[in-house]
Amino acid sequence: MPTILIADDSMFQRFQTSKTAVAAGYDVLEAKDGRECLQLVLEKRPDVLLLDLNMPALDGLAVMERLVAAGAMPARIYVLTADIQDTTRKRCMDLGACDCINKPVDQGVLGKLLAEARAPLG
């Protein structure tokens, strides 16, 4: 079973997204800030990372920059954010994100995305 890491400082967002990820067939890991996210990616090597941009300790962009530098990018990264400018979206994509998903996240849309992302991993 593929593993997904949900990195978001909102406990509610992690809870909602976690339910969707489990329903899509993932084992779920959670991180409440960027530092914990980075540590879990390096230790657990999840297949998919759902990454909030605005988090304490390290923001999502800093997490991606460090993962690129370490050569430890997960197979797929989806950035979750409430407000994303074109320059930020471009930076995320340049760092290796598959897509940027606006918050509040539509769990139905996310479920479909995760099911599609899971197919080649399984």
Side-chain angles (χ1 to χ4, degrees), residues 41-86:
V41 170
L42 295 174
E43 288 176 7
K44 303 292 184 179
R45 304 287 188 192
D47 301 294
V48 176
L49 172 59
L50 293 180
L51 181 64
D52 185 18
L53 278 188
N54 189 16
M55 292 185 296
L58 290 172
D59 67 21
L61 287 172
V63 168
M64 285 193 292
E65 288 166 355
R66 291 183 186 198
L67 290 173
V68 167
M73 291 290 279
R76 290 182 175 79
I77 295 179
Y78 297 97
V79 173
L80 307 176
T81 186
D83 180 32
I84 189 158
Q85 299 175 357
D86 288 340

XYZ file of all heavy atoms in Angstrom, residues 41-86:
347
model
N 9.772 12.787 5.695
C 10.080 12.427 4.304
C 11.420 11.707 4.249
O 11.559 10.672 3.595
C 10.091 13.660 3.373
C 10.658 13.300 2.006
C 8.691 14.235 3.220
N 12.414 12.230 4.954
C 13.746 11.626 4.928
C 13.759 10.247 5.593
O 14.460 9.345 5.137
C 14.757 12.557 5.594
C 14.988 13.882 4.862
C 15.889 14.796 5.685
C 15.543 13.670 3.462
N 12.969 10.067 6.651
C 12.948 8.786 7.374
C 12.030 7.745 6.733
O 12.378 6.576 6.659
C 12.487 9.008 8.817
C 13.503 9.707 9.682
C 12.969 10.002 11.076
O 11.851 9.552 11.436
O 13.676 10.696 11.826
N 10.844 8.158 6.303
C 9.808 7.215 5.877
C 9.659 7.082 4.357
O 9.043 6.144 3.884
C 8.447 7.607 6.468
C 8.435 7.692 7.978
C 8.601 6.344 8.625
C 8.470 6.480 10.142
N 8.606 5.210 10.805
N 10.170 8.048 3.593
C 10.111 8.022 2.122
C 8.692 7.769 1.589
O 8.442 6.787 0.890
C 11.067 6.975 1.559
C 12.497 7.137 1.975
C 13.116 8.290 1.277
N 14.567 8.296 1.551
C 15.343 9.299 1.260
N 14.847 10.367 0.670
N 16.621 9.256 1.533
N 7.737 8.666 1.897
C 6.374 8.470 1.400
C 6.320 8.572 -0.127
O 7.166 9.220 -0.751
C 5.595 9.616 2.054
C 6.620 10.669 2.278
C 7.887 9.933 2.615
N 5.307 7.930 -0.705
C 5.114 7.971 -2.153
C 4.545 9.316 -2.601
O 4.865 9.812 -3.680
C 4.150 6.857 -2.584
C 4.682 5.490 -2.196
O 5.723 5.091 -2.742
O 4.069 4.840 -1.334
N 3.658 9.864 -1.766
C 2.982 11.120 -2.084
C 3.097 12.053 -0.885
O 3.009 11.621 0.264
C 1.490 10.880 -2.416
C 0.750 12.193 -2.660
C 1.348 9.959 -3.625
N 3.293 13.346 -1.180
C 3.337 14.374 -0.148
C 2.288 15.421 -0.478
O 2.293 15.976 -1.573
C 4.725 15.012 -0.091
C 4.914 16.241 0.795
C 4.571 15.953 2.251
C 6.343 16.770 0.669
N 1.368 15.660 0.458
C 0.446 16.790 0.369
C 1.019 17.855 1.285
O 1.100 17.662 2.503
C -0.957 16.398 0.823
C -1.708 15.408 -0.052
C -3.088 15.125 0.527
C -1.828 15.904 -1.476
N 1.427 18.959 0.718
C 2.246 19.940 1.426
C 1.585 21.310 1.470
O 1.367 21.933 0.425
C 3.603 20.038 0.714
C 4.644 20.974 1.278
C 5.086 20.544 2.679
C 5.852 21.033 0.342
N 1.282 21.775 2.665
C 0.789 23.137 2.859
C 1.969 24.090 2.681
O 3.093 23.777 3.085
C 0.210 23.248 4.275
C -0.440 24.591 4.555
O -0.767 25.328 3.601
O -0.635 24.905 5.741
N 1.725 25.239 2.079
C 2.819 26.204 1.909
C 3.078 27.018 3.161
O 4.221 27.304 3.490
C 2.522 27.166 0.748
C 2.818 26.683 -0.639
C 2.656 27.824 -1.634
C 4.198 26.072 -0.762
N 2.016 27.403 3.867
C 2.165 28.293 5.007
C 2.131 27.490 6.307
O 1.068 27.211 6.844
C 1.052 29.342 4.981
C 1.255 30.422 5.998
O 2.344 30.588 6.530
N 0.203 31.154 6.287
N 3.345 27.099 6.768
C 3.466 26.312 8.001
C 4.568 26.897 8.869
O 5.485 27.534 8.370
C 3.849 24.858 7.682
C 2.803 24.056 6.989
S 3.308 22.323 6.810
C 4.723 22.454 5.740
N 4.491 26.629 10.178
C 5.571 27.072 11.065
C 6.836 26.225 10.883
O 6.813 25.183 10.236
C 4.994 26.862 12.467
C 3.740 26.095 12.328
C 3.377 26.029 10.881
N 7.904 26.702 11.457
C 9.235 26.061 11.454
C 9.891 26.172 10.080
O 10.907 26.830 9.947
C 9.202 24.638 11.969
N 9.346 25.531 9.074
C 9.779 25.687 7.680
C 8.519 25.776 6.837
O 7.609 24.988 7.035
C 10.573 24.461 7.203
C 11.956 24.192 7.758
C 12.438 22.828 7.280
C 12.917 25.280 7.340
N 8.476 26.706 5.890
C 7.312 26.740 5.014
C 7.464 25.688 3.917
O 8.511 25.049 3.780
C 7.069 28.139 4.448
C 8.139 28.620 3.482
O 8.885 27.800 2.909
O 8.221 29.845 3.266
N 6.414 25.470 3.157
C 6.410 24.435 2.133
C 7.500 24.610 1.081
O 8.092 23.632 0.630
N 7.758 25.854 0.677
C 8.819 26.084 -0.313
C 10.182 25.684 0.245
O 10.978 25.051 -0.450
C 8.832 27.548 -0.764
C 7.684 27.971 -1.676
C 7.694 29.481 -1.888
C 7.742 27.239 -3.006
N 10.442 26.023 1.499
C 11.721 25.649 2.120
C 11.841 24.131 2.227
O 12.925 23.572 2.013
C 11.850 26.296 3.501
N 10.742 23.455 2.533
C 10.746 21.995 2.603
C 11.134 21.431 1.234
O 12.018 20.577 1.128
C 9.378 21.435 3.059
C 9.304 19.929 2.846
C 9.129 21.769 4.526
N 10.477 21.915 0.179
C 10.791 21.402 -1.164
C 12.235 21.693 -1.559
O 12.908 20.836 -2.131
C 9.815 21.969 -2.195
C 8.446 21.327 -2.117
S 7.374 21.671 -3.531
C 7.069 23.412 -3.320
N 12.715 22.891 -1.248
C 14.106 23.238 -1.571
C 15.078 22.282 -0.892
O 16.039 21.815 -1.494
C 14.396 24.682 -1.161
C 13.716 25.696 -2.057
C 13.707 27.113 -1.486
O 14.148 27.315 -0.324
O 13.239 28.016 -2.207
N 14.821 21.959 0.372
C 15.709 21.047 1.108
C 15.613 19.616 0.590
O 16.614 18.901 0.542
C 15.419 21.116 2.598
C 15.858 22.461 3.167
C 15.652 22.559 4.639
N 15.946 23.916 5.090
C 16.185 24.232 6.335
N 16.182 23.307 7.274
N 16.441 25.477 6.667
N 14.413 19.209 0.192
C 14.261 17.861 -0.367
C 14.977 17.734 -1.712
O 15.612 16.715 -1.981
C 12.777 17.506 -0.520
C 12.020 17.280 0.784
C 10.528 17.111 0.514
C 12.577 16.088 1.547
N 14.897 18.766 -2.533
C 15.608 18.765 -3.811
C 17.108 18.673 -3.551
O 17.814 17.856 -4.148
C 15.264 20.023 -4.649
C 16.224 20.187 -5.811
C 13.826 19.948 -5.153
N 17.612 19.495 -2.627
C 19.045 19.505 -2.305
C 19.512 18.149 -1.781
O 20.636 17.719 -2.058
C 19.342 20.603 -1.285
N 18.635 17.457 -1.045
C 18.987 16.150 -0.469
C 18.743 15.001 -1.453
O 19.060 13.855 -1.150
C 18.174 15.911 0.813
N 18.149 15.298 -2.611
C 17.815 14.250 -3.569
C 16.780 13.291 -3.017
O 16.810 12.099 -3.290
N 15.834 13.835 -2.237
C 14.871 12.981 -1.528
C 13.424 13.341 -1.827
O 12.551 13.157 -0.989
C 15.133 13.092 -0.020
N 13.153 13.825 -3.023
C 11.782 14.201 -3.370
C 10.899 12.959 -3.473
O 11.293 11.968 -4.089
C 11.759 14.944 -4.703
C 12.391 16.320 -4.654
S 11.413 17.500 -3.721
C 10.211 17.951 -4.963
N 9.697 13.014 -2.866
C 8.742 11.921 -3.054
C 8.336 11.823 -4.528
O 8.531 12.761 -5.295
C 7.547 12.347 -2.197
C 8.113 13.301 -1.196
C 9.219 14.012 -1.915
N 7.758 10.688 -4.904
C 7.336 10.485 -6.296
C 6.391 11.593 -6.748
O 6.480 12.055 -7.887
C 6.672 9.118 -6.453
N 5.497 12.019 -5.855
C 4.537 13.074 -6.198
C 4.370 14.025 -5.016
O 4.214 13.583 -3.885
C 3.182 12.478 -6.542
C 3.181 11.735 -7.847
C 1.786 11.200 -8.141
N 1.749 10.578 -9.445
C 2.196 9.352 -9.701
N 2.698 8.635 -8.737
N 2.121 8.862 -10.916
N 4.357 15.318 -5.350
C 4.062 16.346 -4.352
C 2.918 17.195 -4.877
O 2.955 17.657 -6.020
C 5.277 17.258 -4.073
C 6.403 16.473 -3.431
C 4.867 18.432 -3.172
C 7.636 17.301 -3.145
N 1.905 17.376 -4.028
C 0.801 18.273 -4.328
C 0.821 19.356 -3.255
O 0.803 19.056 -2.066
C -0.535 17.539 -4.319
C -0.610 16.477 -5.387
C -0.334 15.151 -5.086
C -0.923 16.810 -6.703
C -0.380 14.170 -6.068
C -0.966 15.837 -7.691
C -0.693 14.524 -7.368
O -0.726 13.553 -8.343
N 0.864 20.596 -3.680
C 0.903 21.725 -2.762
C -0.522 22.172 -2.473
O -1.327 22.342 -3.391
C 1.725 22.887 -3.374
C 1.633 24.130 -2.512
C 3.177 22.460 -3.546
N -0.825 22.347 -1.193
C -2.132 22.830 -0.751
C -1.959 24.242 -0.222
O -1.083 24.486 0.616
C -2.680 21.947 0.369
C -2.745 20.449 0.104
C -3.215 19.713 1.343
C -3.642 20.148 -1.082
N -2.776 25.169 -0.691
C -2.634 26.534 -0.225
C -3.923 27.324 -0.376
O -4.712 27.053 -1.282
C -1.477 27.255 -0.952
O -1.282 28.532 -0.372
C -1.741 27.384 -2.435
N -4.130 28.268 0.525
C -5.331 29.098 0.496
C -5.221 30.210 -0.537
O -6.213 30.656 -1.085
C -5.585 29.694 1.878
N -4.031 30.670 -0.789
C -3.853 31.795 -1.705
C -2.533 31.615 -2.436
O -1.477 31.668 -1.822
C -3.861 33.106 -0.922
C -3.680 34.314 -1.827
O -4.128 34.263 -2.987
O -3.095 35.300 -1.363
N -2.609 31.382 -3.718
C -1.369 31.163 -4.451
C -1.283 32.113 -5.640
O -2.185 32.200 -6.456
C -1.221 29.692 -4.889
C 0.166 29.444 -5.438
C -2.287 29.286 -5.865
C 0.585 28.007 -5.415
N -0.194 32.839 -5.688
C 0.070 33.738 -6.800
C 0.765 32.950 -7.903
O 1.359 31.900 -7.654
C 0.960 34.883 -6.334
C 0.328 35.721 -5.243
C 1.271 36.780 -4.715
O 2.418 36.880 -5.116
N 0.779 37.579 -3.791
N 0.696 33.461 -9.122
C 1.316 32.782 -10.256
C 2.809 32.529 -10.035
O 3.324 31.479 -10.389
C 1.114 33.577 -11.552
C -0.327 33.517 -12.039
O -1.063 32.586 -11.631
O -0.721 34.400 -12.828
